[in-house]
Amino acid sequence: QRARGNKRRGSRAMREAGENVGEIWTAAWSLGLEWTDQWTGYHGIGVYNLIHAWELDQVIAEATRQDIYLNIVVHNHGKFSTYWDPEWSLNPFNKVNGGYLSQPEEYFSNPRARDSFRALMRYMIARWSYSDHVLSWQFWSELDLTGTRSDMRGHRLPEVVAWHREMGRDVKAMDPSAHLITTHTCHDYTQQNPEIISLPEIDYCAGDAYA
């Protein structure tokens, strides 16, 4: 109840300040749907965390009341990174945890992993695409920090471009409300991969820069 109260106060403060867009991560520690079954509410791959799903129901309902539009992030980089905010050691896709991927990069090329992402998005669309206050589905936050390469160039791999083309196409076909699709890299526009952001399946370019 305290957490819900804080969220309500925060959303009211946003509205009163004239803000009307927010970003929500479905991260392992908050609102995520898939993660290790060693954590409360999670059941591994393909069986979703209904506690967090209900919590996201409440977030979307409150955003609607306050007229705030949400960019919903599906994956944060740490889930599939071994070097930056690494969470790969806990990821259920990791072979050491009973999964079927040896390295996080394989998530972009493995057919089973692609099917898993499609299934995850099918669930998210079925549950939340009704809302006109869902602004967009953001596939990744800081895509360039995923993988095992510490040069921040993993987002330039051909298989990562192909993944965005295929998943973007499939999500657009699934979503009856035609929500926008984006993906994100850290730093400014110079860090973007033009091959990804020029895809017709990517509706706008998400980035950031810190002073």
Side-chain angles (χ1 to χ4, degrees), residues 23 38 65 81 90 107 109 166 171 177 186 195 198 208:
E23 181 170 288
Q38 301 303 305
R65 282 190 290 270
S81 180
L90 296 169
Y107 187 77
S109 57
E166 183 176 340
V171 167
S177 300
C186 66
E195 293 186 42
S198 64
D208 54 45

Side-chain angles (χ1 to χ4, degrees), residues 49 51 53-56 60 83 94 98 101 110 119-120 137 158-159 165 169 179 194 204:
N49 186 327
I51 299 170
W54 177 85
E55 289 178 343
L56 187 50
I60 291 173
Y83 71 94
N94 190 334
L101 302 181
N110 184 283
L120 175 62
W137 310 114
E159 57 266 35
R165 180 184 298 110
R169 179 195 65 208
H179 290 95
Y204 70 94

Side-chain angles (χ1 to χ4, degrees), residues 139 143 153-169 181-185 189-205:
F139 288 166
L143 172 67
R153 293 182 60 83
H155 65 308
R156 300 185 185 277
L157 295 171
E159 57 266 35
V160 176
V161 178
W163 184 93
H164 281 81
R165 180 184 298 110
E166 183 176 340
M167 296 303 104
R169 179 195 65 208
I181 293 174
T182 188
T183 200
H184 171 270
T185 59
Y189 70 94
T190 60
Q191 182 66 359
Q192 297 287 345
N193 181 355
E195 293 186 42
I196 291 178
I197 62 176
S198 64
L199 292 171
E201 293 80 9
I202 301 298
D203 295 305
Y204 70 94
C205 173

Side-chain angles (χ1 to χ4, degrees), residues 2 32-33 76 89 93 117 119-120 134 136-137 168-170 184 201-202 204:
R2 183 179 302 159
L33 298 180
N76 57 292
S89 62
F93 285 93
F117 186 81
L120 175 62
V134 172
S136 50
W137 310 114
R169 179 195 65 208
D170 292 349
H184 171 270
E201 293 80 9
I202 301 298
Y204 70 94

Side-chain angles (χ1 to χ4, degrees), residues 10-174:
S11 59
R12 284 198 300 269
M14 287 179 65
R15 183 196 62 197
E16 291 165 2
E19 299 176 40
N20 65 355
V21 176
E23 181 170 288
I24 297 293
W25 287 18
T26 61
W29 62 88
S30 176
L31 303 178
L33 298 180
E34 280 182 314
W35 200 239
T36 173
D37 59 10
Q38 301 303 305
W39 287 26
T40 301
Y42 287 107
H43 309 280
I45 300 170
V47 182
Y48 303 130
N49 186 327
L50 297 184
I51 299 170
H52 283 179
W54 177 85
E55 289 178 343
L56 187 50
D57 289 341
Q58 311 315 304
V59 171
I60 291 173
E62 180 62 18
T64 302
R65 282 190 290 270
Q66 303 299 337
D67 200 25
I68 294 170
Y69 295 86
L70 298 177
N71 178 41
I72 298 182
V73 177
V74 182
H75 286 320
N76 57 292
H77 64 281
K79 294 178 185 176
F80 292 89
S81 180
T82 63
Y83 71 94
W84 203 296
D85 305 318
E87 301 171 80
W88 176 243
S89 62
L90 296 169
N91 195 314
F93 285 93
N94 190 334
K95 279 186 176 180
V96 302
N97 299 321
Y100 51 84
L101 302 181
S102 299
Q103 294 184 322
E105 290 94 335
E106 295 174 12
Y107 187 77
F108 295 101
S109 57
N110 184 283
R112 288 177 65 188
R114 290 187 180 210
D115 287 344
S116 180
F117 186 81
R118 272 188 284 264
L120 175 62
M121 289 306 307
R122 187 176 297 113
Y123 181 86
M124 295 181 72
I125 289 166
R127 187 151 185 160
W128 297 301
S129 68
Y130 76 89
S131 175
D132 60 2
H133 280 73
V134 172
L135 172 68
S136 50
W137 310 114
Q138 182 174 301
F139 288 166
W140 294 89
S141 176
E142 299 183 312
L143 172 67
D144 46 332
L145 302 181
T146 60
T148 57
R149 298 170 51 166
S150 60
D151 58 4
M152 298 173 60
R153 293 182 60 83
H155 65 308
R156 300 185 185 277
L157 295 171
E159 57 266 35
V160 176
V161 178
W163 184 93
H164 281 81
R165 180 184 298 110
E166 183 176 340
M167 296 303 104
R169 179 195 65 208
D170 292 349
V171 167
K172 284 184 178 295
M174 283 190 278

